[in-house]
Amino acid sequence: MNLKAFFTFHFSFFTSLLLLAVTMTACTKDDPNPLADSTGDLPVSVTEMLFPVEGGTSEFTVQGGTAFVRSSEGWVTVTRKSGNNKQSTFVVECEENTTNAERVATILANLNGSFKNITVTQAGPAKQEEGEFTFRTANEVAQDMYPGWNLGNTLESCDANNLFNNNGGTACETGWQPTMTTKEVIDAVKAAGFKSVRIPCSWICGHVSGGTEANPQIDAAWMARVKKIVDYCVEDGLYVVLNDHWDGGWIEVQGFTGSTSSFRAMTDDEVNAKIVTLKSLWTSIAEVFKGYDEHVIFAGLNEPFQEYNLFSSRHEVLTPILLKYNKAFVEAVRATGGNNANRILVVQGPSVNIASTISYMPASSLPEEAGKLMVEVHFYDPGQFCGTFDASGDNAYYYWGNGNHSTNHNAGWGEESYMQEQFGNLKTAFTSKGFPVIIGEYAGLQRTITGGDQAKHDASVKAFYQCVNEYATNNGIVAFAWDTNDVAGLGKESGSSTIIGRAAKSVVGQNAMDGILAGVAAGQWMK
């Protein structure tokens, strides 16, 4: 090799090493290309994070390898917690907001040339309360609430192993269905014709960041996320029913039996301990929503002692415990004062079963006078049509209602006359005495039938939803359709109760929606 070639080769080799070193140095910093936008399909656990005005910390993960991140604003700090060839975990720390308004930052995640933006929104200082609102009676409010819709399988998603810890995070929102709840999703719910949204929510399961079991501290970021979704609804003029859902079974199951494997009667001390926790939880929630008007309604529980194998024969003996919990919930909310002193509240009947609620929890046993209280039951009859019992195979009901039967798979019970009787009994027991009833959940399965009569099935679904809403309205009942955002299930014989496709932000369960609107049009409040 001649001298010129020698220097040319070594200069080129040295330059290559220098460029490689610079590239490697750049890649060791959490500073991806600042000009890059969100490209590709980088799998991050969240795309939106919410923080209260006080700030706080949260986490997110990036699947696929060791990713790199950068925050667009100094008040948001991102630190890698762990990273390997499978995923990276980052801790996000948000400073207290001392500005006069809500603020937004962006976290840019980078992995192998793919980028994803995570939006960080922090609340601004609380607006000064405008004073106490005037609240109408429960019956007056109920007349403006129907029809209702459930944000199902969303904020209640949780793992029962996460009781009293903070392993859930905002990623729970897509644990059981794929779509984050945006304002556009709620706008679509309103556009479809719904007047109220029931928000099933977990708190104890996966969202406790401190305190004790007696006095759990709900994670601030989770509370802010729930509040944000409530705000979407209220801004659209929708009523909200916010509850403590199954929540890992901490009270729905463990509040009525000392063992989850077999029934064991609760001791007084065990019941009293649950009451302390329930009051602490609802005090925290009520304080956050204290400044809201009558559009926000609280529901203490969801389906108390509903688990069939443990409780099916024990509704009567367990109702006295439920009455204690209902009373504790009402007392906790009222004690926070302000608007909560007059807010409409919802208490649940035993196993939210219509017959048991009428028999064992009469209006005279309710913890508050008429005008401030609603009673909740659920309606999934017949289960073979609604998807709760023998809803597949030869035992499934594909056809429901007079004139919609085929050669087989017909509803053998639970049709129009049964529904009218059930709802009429609720009117006699509660609504006629000033306590409106909500059917917190009901559903019929929309199926794609192979080897059957699709037209008759479609007509059955429409008829079911129409009758629920017409008969409910006639008897002073507000019905909330259960919706799990399982769009794919609509194309299967196993079926789905999905009405609003959240990704498309439009109606996808048209037969159900047509039935709801027809039932509302045909019904007359307290006929």
Side-chain angles (χ1 to χ4, degrees):
M1 180 182 295
N2 60 36
L3 191 60
K4 180 178 180 181
F6 175 85
F7 281 111
T8 300
F9 170 80
H10 283 81
F11 179 81
S12 176
F13 179 74
F14 176 79
T15 301
S16 298
L17 285 177
L18 181 61
L19 288 173
L20 178 62
V22 170
T23 301
M24 291 180 65
T25 302
C27 289
T28 60
K29 297 179 181 179
D30 293 351
D31 188 17
N33 182 357
L35 300 178
D37 293 321
S38 181
T39 61
D41 188 25
L42 185 61
V44 296
S45 59
V46 296
T47 57
E48 180 178 331
M49 305 183 81
L50 299 173
F51 287 95
V53 64
E54 297 83 6
T57 60
S58 189
E59 295 185 5
F60 70 91
T61 60
V62 181
Q63 297 295 325
T66 303
F68 305 94
V69 299
R70 182 179 68 84
S71 170
S72 66
E73 303 293 339
W75 49 271
V76 175
T77 303
V78 189
T79 306
R80 182 183 291 110
K81 180 179 180 181
S82 61
N84 53 41
N85 61 354
K86 294 183 179 180
Q87 73 173 30
S88 305
T89 301
F90 296 91
V91 176
V92 179
E93 184 172 0
C94 180
E95 297 177 356
E96 181 181 2
N97 188 355
T98 58
T99 70
N100 295 321
E102 176 182 276
R103 58 185 180 179
V104 178
T106 299
I107 297 172
L108 183 63
N110 171 16
L111 177 63
N112 299 328
S114 292
F115 299 87
K116 184 69 74 174
N117 288 326
I118 300 172
T119 302
V120 179
T121 304
Q122 184 179 26
K127 296 180 181 178
Q128 186 175 0
E129 288 192 13
E130 300 175 7
E132 295 184 9
F133 293 99
T134 298
F135 284 71
R136 294 177 296 163
T137 67
N139 189 57
E140 290 170 330
V141 171
Q143 293 180 58
D144 290 337
M145 289 176 61
Y146 65 90
W149 177 84
N150 272 275
L151 185 69
N153 280 16
T154 307
L155 296 186
E156 80 274 29
S157 167
C158 76
D159 178 356
N161 294 321
N162 285 336
L163 291 182
F164 294 98
N165 65 39
N166 194 31
N167 291 346
T170 55
C172 278
E173 189 172 342
T174 54
W176 293 351
Q177 59 79 43
T179 311
M180 291 290 286
T181 309
T182 62
K183 186 179 186 305
E184 290 73 22
V185 168
I186 300 302
D187 290 346
V189 173
K190 179 181 180 180
F194 291 104
K195 300 292 181 64
S196 54
V197 175
R198 180 173 178 262
I199 301 180
C201 196
S202 288
W203 306 93
I204 299 299
C205 182
H207 303 295
V208 174
S209 59
T212 63
E213 288 196 16
N215 184 26
Q217 179 182 331
I218 304 304
D219 177 58
W222 180 249
M223 185 70 83
R225 178 59 182 158
V226 175
K227 185 176 182 296
K228 189 75 170 179
I229 294 175
V230 171
D231 287 343
Y232 291 154
C233 297
V234 173
E235 288 166 6
D236 269 353
L238 298 169
Y239 287 86
V240 172
V241 177
L242 178 65
N243 77 357
D244 179 27
H245 208 67
W246 174 67
D247 212 358
W250 80 272
I251 190 167
E252 286 208 340
V253 177
Q254 297 174 35
F256 298 93
T257 176
S259 169
T260 57
S261 58
S262 61
F263 179 78
R264 177 180 68 75
M266 297 282 285
T267 66
D268 288 344
D269 286 345
E270 288 172 328
V271 170
N272 290 334
K274 294 293 183 183
I275 287 174
V276 170
T277 303
L278 184 68
K279 281 192 167 186
S280 175
L281 171 64
W282 274 108
T283 297
S284 299
I285 299 170
E287 287 288 355
V288 170
F289 294 97
K290 191 174 181 178
Y292 288 66
D293 67 7
E294 67 184 17
H295 282 81
V296 173
I297 296 169
F298 299 145
L301 301 172
N302 170 52
E303 294 180 343
F305 58 89
Q306 176 78 324
E307 193 165 320
Y308 186 84
N309 291 334
L310 288 174
F311 304 122
S312 61
S313 63
R314 298 183 169 90
H315 290 191
E316 183 175 9
V317 70
L318 293 176
T319 298
I321 298 176
L322 173 62
L323 296 180
K324 291 181 179 180
Y325 293 152
N326 284 344
K327 184 173 183 289
F329 155 66
V330 171
E331 288 177 346
V333 174
R334 298 297 184 224
T336 61
N339 293 310
N340 290 332
N342 297 300
R343 188 171 308 286
I344 306 301
L345 304 179
V346 183
V347 294
Q348 291 64 44
S351 196
V352 287
N353 176 273
I354 292 176
S356 293
T357 300
I358 292 170
S359 297
Y360 308 134
M361 197 182 80
S364 59
S365 71
L366 297 179
E368 205 165 42
E369 71 276 10
K372 293 185 177 182
L373 212 62
M374 297 181 181
V375 174
E376 180 176 2
V377 295
H378 293 178
F379 187 78
Y380 286 109
D381 290 340
Q384 297 92 330
F385 183 80
C386 298
T388 59
F389 178 76
D390 267 351
S392 61
D394 293 338
N395 294 319
Y397 291 172
Y398 297 169
Y399 311 109
W400 185 95
N402 295 330
N404 294 325
H405 288 178
S406 186
T407 55
N408 55 23
H409 288 286
N410 298 311
W413 66 284
E415 296 188 292
E416 289 96 336
S417 61
Y418 171 86
M419 189 186 294
Q420 285 180 312
E421 179 183 16
Q422 293 287 295
F423 293 2
N425 290 341
L426 287 170
K427 177 182 179 181
T428 300
F430 299 108
T431 60
S432 65
K433 298 176 181 178
F435 297 97
V437 174
I438 70 167
I439 297 176
E441 298 176 16
Y442 76 94
L445 290 180
Q446 175 69 55
R447 308 170 186 262
T448 296
I449 306 296
T450 56
D453 193 327
Q454 187 69 50
K456 280 186 178 291
H457 171 69
D458 292 348
S460 298
V461 172
K462 179 179 177 181
F464 176 82
Y465 279 87
Q466 178 171 343
C467 288
V468 167
N469 283 274
E470 180 178 348
Y471 302 161
T473 302
N474 290 344
N475 289 285
I477 301 168
V478 181
F480 288 78
W482 184 247
D483 189 329
T484 61
N485 195 31
D486 173 24
V487 177
L490 297 173
K492 300 175 182 178
E493 196 150 335
S494 55
S496 171
S497 61
T498 297
I499 300 172
I500 304 293
R502 300 185 205 171
K505 302 175 184 63
S506 62
V507 174
V508 293
Q510 196 63 58
N511 295 315
M513 194 71 239
D514 289 347
I516 290 170
L517 296 178
V520 169
Q524 182 179 344
W525 186 258
M526 290 288 284
K527 180 178 177 182

